[in-house]
Amino acid sequence: MVRPLSLGELPPSYTPPARSSAPNILAGGLQAPLWLRAYFQSLLFSLGCRIQRHCGKVLFLGLVAFGALALGLRVAVIETDLEQLWVEVDSRASQELHYTKEKLGEEAAYTSQMLIQTARQELGNVLTPEALGFHLQAALTASKVQVSLYGKSWDLNKICYKSGVPLIENGMIERMIEKLFPCVILTPLDCFWEGAKLQGGSAYLPGRPDIQWTNLDPQQLLEELGPFASLEGFRELLDKAQVGQAYVGRPCLNPDDPHCPPSAPNRHSRQAPNVAQELSGGCHGFSHKFMHWQEELLLGGTARDLQGQLLRAEALQSTFLLMSPRQLYEHFRGDYQTHDIGWSEEQASMVLQAWQRRFVQLAQEALPVNASQQIHAFSSTTLDDVLHTFSEVSTTRVVGGYLLMLAYACVTMLRWDCAQSQGAVGLAGVLLVALAVASGLGLCAILGITFNAATTQVLPFLALGIGVDDIFLLAHAFTKSPPDTPLPERMGECLRRTGTSVALTSINNMIAFFMAVLVPIPALRAFSLQAAIVVGCNFAAVMLVFPAILSLDLRRRHRQRLDVLCCFSSPCSAQVIQMLPQELGDRAVPVGIAHLTATVQAFTHCEASSQHVVTILPPQAHLLSPTSDPLGSELYSPGGSTRDLLGQEEGTRPKAACRSLLCAHWTLAHFARYQLAPLLLQTQAKALVLLFFGALLGLSLYGATLVQDGLALTDVVPRGTKEHAFLSAQLRYFSLYEVALVTQGGFDYAHSQRALFDLHQRFSSLKAVLPPPATQAPRTWLHYYRSWLQGIQAAFDQDWASGRITRHSYRNGSEDGALAYKLLIQTGNAQEPLDFSQLTTRKLVDKEGLIPPELFYMGLTVWVSSDPLGLAASQANFYPPPPEWLHDKYDTTGENLRIPAAQPLEFAQFPFLLHGLQKTADFVEAIEGARAACAEAGQAGVHAYPSGSPFLFWEQYLGLRRCFLLAVCILLVCTFLVCALLLLSPWTAGLIVLVLAMMTVELFGIMGFLGIKLSAIPVVILVASIGIGVEFTVHVALGFLTSHGSRNLRAASALEQTFAPVMDGAVSTLLGLLMLAGSNFDFIIRYFFVVLTVLTFLGLLHGLLLLPVLLSVLGPPPQVVQIYKESPQALSSAAPQRGGLRWSMPPTLPQSFARVTTSMTVALHPPPLPGAYVHPASEEPT
């Protein structure tokens, strides 16, 4: 009795037999799943046969349809607006943003252009006159920028944002103020006289030199103009704003400057100022009351002594504010300077963009290369340019990636045997996938799905790698069709055997990307939809059009034409050898066996004349009784398997080159059969595999705790660029964010003043809110409004006490006293609007600091019209805006006494600054605190919400992980259902889902070790990884499920059948991703290339190592049982066991022959094959 061989003891001469015919199989075990799969496969078979019959028509119609869809790319729209890309869909942040835009319009009030200066030496101090001198040089260069567009010259003074320009009745003074009114520039230079040099306005008065801020003393000028014009109101305005001497009363950085004014404190002493002392606490613009630039806005990396005195700083920042395109258009609409150029908002936008680009360029070039300081410049247009560059399609990388894939497909599918070569099929398949990707993206464009950076930078390569997998699978299976398959049924047989796998992987990929739509970020939602549609187009191309290509190639092979150059006949046509029955000696073939599978030792001879490889059955052979080898009879006899990838036993085919015959038998399938499976499926190896993956899972769980949330602009902008240097410096030194607390309509502001003050107080107490200096009142409209009312009430009280204002006259009183008089007599009653008895019985602000509700909206009208600087500083942005009302102290008519009340407010805001926000956790804490304050105010009846970039772009992190877990769980359930439905085995589907879940957890943990932060982009990749992981698992699972024998045998069979297709798919995916590594953006490399590459390797490890081990231990029972129908004679003791035949050869071999092992089917009545060439044994060479 011969001992059965174990899996690791397979003889080297063993070769798997060919596929048995259908009549040899009787369904056993799970008959219902087999019947359902057989029905599904019959549909695929019918589809393949129809395509093969009409291959030319199908190919033509398919190319026309896909080409027509690809034309949709002409209407593609690339979205670069950050708000449109990253604000959560249908979230409270998006609803609040919509409300803000509905009330205020689409644009912000101004745009910011920034300069940051740091020392080239690490930790260098910038609080020195020399460092400030460099900053002045760069800022002055930037402020003098001029651009010429549309035949006009545009400088800073024309396009800058000017806050609160007052309306003056005196025309001459009004024109002078319009030219002189300063731009809003937040700069540390404003602490010194040199800050005036950045203001470019000038005015001319007869008998005086040009008036500029470098020589303007407003107090002196008003004294000189007093005798010629009535400027009392303007004087009061300047006094309230605490303008004083403006810049000429500030110290000079360089007291030796000949233009340093005599009024400068250090002009006569010639001593350089103490920079740290002057900058401590911040600086002021020309108005000390309304233009205070806090220290945190100007200095970064500060250090103080124990007493809190400023000692040093590592960075300086200046910010130039420009008008928005809408404001610039409105400002110059109808102006004589633009009447001849067809002035439009688009032209205004072009002017601003051109100026900003020139600003950044000149600022960065302002300092010499060897200077001790360096300047980083940035503008809103710079960010737009980065996003546009990020979203552009890299033609070079796309073409290079597809050419690389073409080369790989052609090389891997070329064969020495020209009739078996499929190089042209590989080329056509890759081109077809490229067309399918283009058609899918074109369909997305037609459906109105906007493109973004992920679409243009990643999707073409990812879709190529995924799509080519199925191309390889079908092509390999087509060449491995059973030899007895009729020619017209070749394509039907191919789809019958591989269609289930292609459908499983494609459907799961589509479901994965559709599930990623649960991530509520517009950019990633669009990417996921586009990826799902592209995968669907790939699926249609592979299942419908690519079979037509294979059918056409079958005709070429049948006609023995050259591969690629199909117009030429093949000089090395493969010889199909029909093995004629040989003499069996004294042994008889068992009767009743319809088809006999035999393992044969044959000789392969290379004919020198024709370079053909000929395989000859030796004339003298004797029959041996086979050993009871369970592997030989079960492992590679997949007759009855509905999922056989044919193993790609390339080594068993004769080659055209004689010298390569010794190694020609080695293939991936050979490796899986003879090296991997025997080693992997040993008990010790299984234990090691399970231990390894258990350790990997545990390590990944630890790595998952290291994953931080967040995605900063520094992660997106290419490293080594000037833009990245600026963003890094800004993040390090000036992590400040302008936000606003918006109050909506739906409540009565006049009766909710206490709740508004409480809301402001709660918001101000948040850790992240930058508090105002102790000497300065809160910078909100309600505080400014109340303070202004208290000021005019005090003026009225003085005028009343002195008799300048009486019950019947206010003409002798001050401007403020007259305003208070008019407000005090208002009743708010349309029938009796005035009541003079209230002059002494009421106050504009009561003892509790509240404004009488009946006066609230009328007082708001007066304040907005009379205090433009305070209104601008408050950034209230009232909607609806209060009506304009002009005050004339000398007009005592009743109409002038009546003040129109403002409409009830539907929008107002309190501005704040957030600081210290470095990590995503800091943002989340600030957002949660702000939301809690608004929720508490809501209980008091005040409807409010926070507004600003932190709340728009970081609020997604409040629920991102929950959304991620929800999407993963739903997708795993969907994957289980789809696999259970198509595999008809919930047991197998459960193992697949287990492996996919492990892959997702391990990928998440590896992200933590690689320092990749969790944002919406990695979430989409993690969700999609489940669908992509199906590519590596379902083939093995289906091969195991449809094989027969023990679990070990079926696992080994599945490995041999699927190892090569899975490896080909992984290589094609890696080649598709390889072009991402050449991106200029580190973000693409880290977040897409690295993560997807890790996913591919994880897929290989889990699909080819872990899953076979799990199946060999926990796998379900087989759905197919092979049963031989044998006659009683065949069951006698003399009959060979299991119907196997084995020939042995004489020990001596002719020297002209090479001995190889091959597998062939010996039919008692072999059907003729098309193009068969019979080489009789009598012609054996000597």
Side-chain angles (χ1 to χ4, degrees):
M1 186 72 179
V2 181
R3 180 178 60 89
L5 295 177
S6 66
L7 187 63
E9 299 173 338
L10 289 175
S13 61
Y14 173 76
T15 308
R19 176 180 178 270
S20 301
S21 61
N24 292 334
I25 304 302
L26 292 179
L30 303 176
Q31 297 185 8
L34 281 179
W35 184 90
L36 290 174
R37 185 177 297 112
Y39 176 74
F40 178 64
Q41 289 180 328
S42 68
L43 298 178
L44 293 174
F45 178 81
S46 177
L47 175 64
C49 292
R50 289 176 181 269
I51 293 175
Q52 183 172 346
R53 280 200 305 270
H54 307 285
C55 55
K57 298 176 184 178
V58 171
L59 180 60
F60 175 76
L61 293 177
L63 294 179
V64 169
F66 285 118
L69 289 176
L71 293 178
L73 288 172
R74 300 178 61 183
V75 298
V77 176
I78 297 180
E79 182 64 72
T80 58
D81 185 354
L82 280 177
E83 291 179 354
Q84 297 296 325
L85 291 173
W86 289 102
V87 178
E88 289 185 77
V89 178
D90 298 329
S91 65
R92 60 183 175 185
S94 65
Q95 295 171 1
E96 292 161 357
L97 178 63
H98 175 74
Y99 184 85
T100 301
K101 290 185 175 182
E102 179 185 357
K103 303 304 179 184
L104 299 184
E106 294 289 330
E107 296 180 342
Y110 51 78
T111 59
S112 300
Q113 338 309 312
M114 289 161 283
L115 298 179
I116 293 180
Q117 174 182 323
T118 58
R120 294 189 183 275
Q121 184 179 1
E122 187 70 17
L123 303 179
N125 184 24
V126 296
L127 298 185
T128 63
E130 293 77 16
L132 265 294
F134 282 121
H135 198 73
L136 173 63
Q137 181 180 344
L140 193 58
T141 301
S143 67
K144 302 304 180 184
V145 168
Q146 289 188 353
V147 294
S148 295
L149 277 180
Y150 311 113
K152 310 294 180 182
S153 180
W154 305 89
D155 58 15
L156 177 63
N157 198 52
K158 287 184 178 180
I159 65 176
C160 70
Y161 176 75
K162 298 182 179 182
S163 174
V165 181
L167 298 177
I168 306 298
E169 296 181 0
N170 187 296
M172 179 188 70
I173 301 299
E174 183 180 11
R175 288 191 296 272
M176 183 181 70
I177 290 177
E178 183 180 357
K179 293 181 178 180
L180 274 177
F181 204 82
C183 299
V184 178
I185 304 175
L186 289 69
T187 173
L189 297 171
D190 273 352
C191 282
F192 308 95
W193 166 76
E194 280 78 2
K197 293 184 177 182
L198 303 182
Q199 303 294 344
S202 64
Y204 170 75
L205 286 178
R208 290 180 56 92
D210 285 350
I211 301 176
Q212 298 178 346
W213 283 102
T214 53
N215 59 18
L216 173 61
D217 185 343
Q219 294 177 344
Q220 182 182 353
L221 179 63
L222 289 180
E223 291 176 1
E224 295 177 1
L225 296 178
F228 307 101
S230 177
L231 299 174
E232 180 181 354
F234 185 52
R235 187 190 305 274
E236 288 186 5
L237 179 65
L238 294 182
D239 289 342
K240 289 180 182 178
Q242 301 175 10
V243 174
Q245 292 183 299
Y247 289 97
V248 296
R250 303 176 187 182
C252 296
L253 269 175
N254 179 17
D256 295 326
D257 189 325
H259 299 98
C260 180
S263 54
N266 61 340
R267 175 68 173 85
H268 300 290
S269 65
R270 304 284 182 176
Q271 292 183 353
N274 186 331
V275 174
Q277 183 178 349
E278 295 293 337
L279 289 175
S280 181
C283 301
H284 297 85
F286 79 96
S287 167
H288 278 254
K289 180 178 181 180
F290 298 120
M291 295 184 177
H292 176 252
W293 323 135
Q294 291 180 253
E295 180 183 307
E296 290 80 1
L297 289 170
L298 309 176
L299 305 179
T302 56
R304 301 178 181 276
D305 60 15
L306 296 178
Q307 288 74 36
Q309 298 296 319
L310 182 63
L311 295 178
R312 58 192 306 276
E314 298 178 21
L316 302 171
Q317 178 175 255
S318 291
T319 305
F320 296 72
L321 302 186
L322 303 184
M323 286 188 280
S324 67
R326 165 68 65 171
Q327 288 177 324
L328 185 60
Y329 166 69
E330 294 289 347
H331 182 74
F332 282 100
R333 186 174 64 172
D335 191 273
Y336 74 93
Q337 300 181 65
T338 58
H339 75 281
D340 60 337
I341 61 174
W343 184 241
S344 65
E345 189 171 344
E346 183 179 356
Q347 290 176 322
S349 178
M350 295 298 294
V351 168
L352 289 171
Q353 291 176 11
W355 193 93
Q356 290 172 9
R357 293 188 180 99
R358 187 64 175 162
F359 167 89
V360 171
Q361 178 186 357
L362 293 183
Q364 291 172 342
E365 299 172 354
L367 300 186
V369 178
N370 58 353
S372 61
Q373 306 289 313
Q374 56 185 348
I375 293 292
H376 310 290
F378 199 79
S379 71
S380 56
T381 298
T382 304
L383 179 58
D384 292 338
D385 291 342
V386 169
L387 291 177
H388 276 290
T389 303
F390 190 49
S391 303
E392 289 179 352
V393 178
S394 175
T395 306
T396 302
R397 288 194 297 115
V398 171
V399 173
Y402 279 73
L403 287 178
L404 184 62
M405 188 65 74
L406 283 169
Y408 173 76
C410 184
V411 170
T412 55
M413 300 179 72
L414 279 174
R415 296 293 182 269
W416 286 108
D417 185 350
C418 301
Q420 298 297 322
S421 181
Q422 289 185 299
V425 169
L427 294 175
V430 174
L431 292 176
L432 177 63
V433 170
L435 179 61
V437 172
S439 66
L441 294 177
L443 179 59
C444 294
I446 295 173
L447 295 176
I449 304 174
T450 58
F451 289 20
N452 54 67
T455 307
T456 58
Q457 296 280 337
V458 177
L459 190 53
F461 307 105
L462 180 60
L464 173 66
I466 295 176
V468 172
D469 294 354
D470 294 330
I471 294 292
F472 282 122
L473 185 62
L474 279 177
H476 283 304
F478 190 68
T479 60
K480 292 298 183 179
S481 296
D484 57 346
T485 304
L487 191 64
E489 298 179 2
R490 291 289 181 91
M491 197 63 249
E493 183 66 22
C494 178
L495 284 186
R496 189 211 307 250
R497 296 154 69 84
T498 59
T500 304
S501 290
V502 174
L504 265 175
T505 55
S506 298
I507 291 174
N508 276 285
N509 274 325
M510 285 189 286
I511 292 177
F513 284 114
F514 277 126
M515 285 299 102
V517 175
L518 292 175
V519 178
I521 306 301
L524 282 308
R525 179 167 289 185
F527 171 78
S528 301
L529 284 174
Q530 289 160 346
I533 291 173
V534 168
V535 170
C537 289
N538 276 342
F539 179 49
V542 170
M543 291 295 288
L544 299 177
V545 182
F546 188 65
I549 296 175
L550 288 173
S551 300
L552 289 174
D553 187 67
L554 179 62
R555 297 183 181 181
R556 174 197 65 80
R557 294 163 56 195
H558 183 60
R559 295 172 182 173
Q560 299 183 358
R561 299 281 185 173
L562 278 176
D563 190 14
V564 182
L565 304 175
C566 56
C567 295
F568 301 95
S569 298
S570 171
C572 55
S573 302
Q575 298 184 15
V576 182
I577 303 172
Q578 183 172 341
M579 302 296 298
L580 298 180
Q582 300 292 321
E583 178 69 34
L584 297 180
D586 297 332
R587 308 298 295 265
V589 179
V591 296
I593 300 179
H595 200 86
L596 190 62
T597 299
T599 301
V600 181
Q601 293 286 351
F603 293 107
T604 299
H605 172 63
C606 181
E607 294 183 347
S609 60
S610 62
Q611 292 299 309
H612 290 170
V613 178
V614 182
T615 303
I616 302 175
L617 187 66
Q620 294 180 352
H622 55 278
L623 188 65
L624 297 181
S625 298
T627 61
S628 58
D629 181 5
L631 300 178
S633 60
E634 296 184 75
L635 180 53
Y636 299 106
S637 180
S641 170
T642 59
R643 174 67 177 89
D644 174 19
L645 296 183
L646 302 173
Q648 302 168 49
E649 278 288 344
E650 304 290 347
T652 65
R653 292 208 303 247
K655 305 298 178 181
C658 300
R659 57 190 174 208
S660 63
L661 290 173
L662 294 178
C663 60
H665 68 282
W666 194 96
T667 62
L668 291 175
H670 183 278
F671 169 77
R673 167 66 185 88
Y674 290 105
Q675 279 81 39
L676 180 61
L679 176 64
L680 182 64
L681 298 179
Q682 293 180 5
T683 304
Q684 299 87 344
K686 292 180 185 179
L688 289 176
V689 168
L690 294 176
L691 182 63
F692 169 77
F693 280 98
L696 179 60
L697 181 62
L699 193 63
S700 299
L701 289 173
Y702 170 73
T705 64
L706 304 178
V707 178
Q708 299 180 353
D709 295 347
L711 178 64
L713 274 178
T714 50
D715 297 326
V716 177
V717 176
R719 297 180 184 273
T721 61
K722 295 178 180 179
E723 292 80 7
H724 187 274
F726 171 87
L727 293 171
S728 299
Q730 184 186 49
L731 182 64
R732 178 178 179 181
Y733 297 116
F734 299 101
S735 186
L736 293 168
Y737 296 87
E738 292 185 358
V739 299
L741 182 59
V742 175
T743 51
Q744 303 172 261
F747 71 97
D748 188 354
Y749 282 69
H751 290 87
S752 303
Q753 295 175 63
R754 176 56 59 198
L756 288 171
F757 283 120
D758 291 343
L759 172 61
H760 176 269
Q761 180 60 37
R762 282 193 295 269
F763 206 91
S764 301
S765 63
L766 296 178
K767 174 184 175 182
V769 172
L770 182 65
T775 57
Q776 183 180 351
R779 190 168 56 96
T780 71
W781 68 268
L782 193 55
H783 290 87
Y784 282 149
Y785 177 28
R786 182 177 67 177
S787 176
W788 179 82
L789 288 176
Q790 290 172 335
I792 64 174
Q793 178 71 60
F796 172 82
D797 291 341
Q798 275 188 333
D799 290 342
W800 184 270
S802 62
R804 292 192 294 272
I805 292 181
T806 64
R807 179 184 177 90
H808 302 290
S809 175
Y810 55 81
R811 295 185 61 179
N812 296 325
S814 62
E815 291 282 343
D816 285 351
L819 282 174
Y821 179 95
K822 294 181 179 181
L823 279 173
L824 287 169
I825 63 176
Q826 306 296 316
T827 64
N829 188 339
Q831 302 297 327
E832 297 180 4
L834 304 178
D835 183 358
F836 293 93
S837 65
Q838 297 178 152
L839 286 171
T840 56
T841 59
R842 73 189 309 184
K843 295 291 184 182
L844 297 178
V845 179
D846 63 21
K847 295 180 181 179
E848 297 181 359
L850 302 179
I851 304 166
E854 63 273 12
L855 285 178
F856 185 86
Y857 284 109
M858 288 179 287
L860 193 64
T861 298
V862 178
W863 174 62
V864 168
S865 302
S866 305
D867 189 15
L869 288 175
L871 176 65
S874 71
Q875 301 179 32
N877 288 327
F878 292 129
Y879 182 85
E884 291 186 2
W885 180 80
L886 293 178
H887 164 63
D888 184 358
K889 188 175 72 171
Y890 300 101
D891 185 356
T892 58
T893 62
E895 194 64 32
N896 186 261
L897 290 176
R898 296 180 181 178
I899 301 174
Q903 298 182 45
L905 294 176
E906 298 178 14
F907 185 96
Q909 62 184 23
F910 299 150
F912 292 93
L913 280 174
L914 302 184
H915 72 128
L917 303 181
Q918 297 286 340
K919 300 179 180 179
T920 302
D922 301 329
F923 286 94
V924 171
E925 181 182 359
I927 292 170
E928 290 176 340
R931 292 294 183 183
C934 292
E936 190 173 348
Q939 297 176 357
V942 175
H943 307 306
Y945 63 85
S947 175
S949 58
F951 304 99
L952 288 179
F953 304 124
W954 275 270
E955 188 154 345
Q956 59 179 282
Y957 295 103
L958 295 180
L960 183 63
R961 296 197 176 219
R962 182 175 63 254
C963 178
F964 165 55
L965 290 176
L966 176 63
V968 167
C969 292
I970 293 177
L971 181 54
L972 288 175
V973 172
C974 291
T975 303
F976 173 81
L977 294 177
V978 171
C979 291
L981 179 64
L982 292 182
L983 294 179
L984 303 170
S985 172
W987 191 338
T988 307
L991 289 177
I992 292 176
V993 168
L994 173 64
V995 173
L996 294 177
M998 290 181 61
M999 286 176 54
T1000 304
V1001 172
E1002 290 161 7
L1003 181 61
F1004 188 68
I1006 292 174
M1007 284 172 48
F1009 290 115
L1010 295 176
I1012 297 175
K1013 299 178 182 178
L1014 183 68
S1015 64
I1017 292 175
V1019 164
V1020 169
I1021 296 177
L1022 286 166
V1023 173
S1025 69
I1026 298 176
I1028 297 174
V1030 173
E1031 298 269 358
F1032 302 99
T1033 55
V1034 73
H1035 303 317
V1036 176
L1038 190 54
F1040 177 87
L1041 193 63
T1042 56
S1043 298
H1044 51 81
S1046 66
R1047 285 195 177 105
N1048 270 3
L1049 296 176
R1050 293 158 59 209
S1053 174
L1055 267 180
E1056 184 189 18
Q1057 296 171 19
T1058 61
F1059 188 83
V1062 170
M1063 287 297 298
D1064 278 337
V1067 172
S1068 65
T1069 301
L1070 290 175
L1071 286 177
L1073 299 175
L1074 184 60
M1075 289 298 101
L1076 297 180
S1079 174
N1080 295 327
F1081 293 88
D1082 293 329
F1083 170 77
I1084 294 293
I1085 298 174
R1086 284 172 54 81
Y1087 283 80
F1088 285 99
F1089 172 72
V1090 172
V1091 174
L1092 290 173
T1093 300
V1094 171
L1095 170 61
T1096 303
F1097 283 108
L1098 285 177
L1100 282 176
L1101 290 175
H1102 287 76
L1104 299 180
L1105 294 182
L1106 178 62
L1107 184 58
V1109 169
L1110 289 178
L1111 290 171
S1112 69
V1113 177
L1114 303 173
Q1119 292 181 348
V1120 176
V1121 176
Q1122 179 167 330
I1123 303 174
Y1124 287 99
K1125 296 179 179 179
E1126 302 185 69
S1127 64
Q1129 292 89 339
L1131 298 176
S1132 64
S1133 58
Q1137 298 182 13
R1138 297 194 178 263
L1141 294 179
R1142 184 180 301 275
W1143 279 272
S1144 68
M1145 294 305 303
T1148 60
L1149 297 174
Q1151 295 183 356
S1152 59
F1153 286 82
R1155 175 169 167 169
V1156 297
T1157 301
T1158 185
S1159 175
M1160 54 190 69
T1161 300
V1162 181
L1164 298 182
H1165 300 284
L1169 297 177
Y1173 172 79
V1174 181
H1175 192 98
S1178 60
E1179 297 180 6
E1180 175 182 344
T1182 57

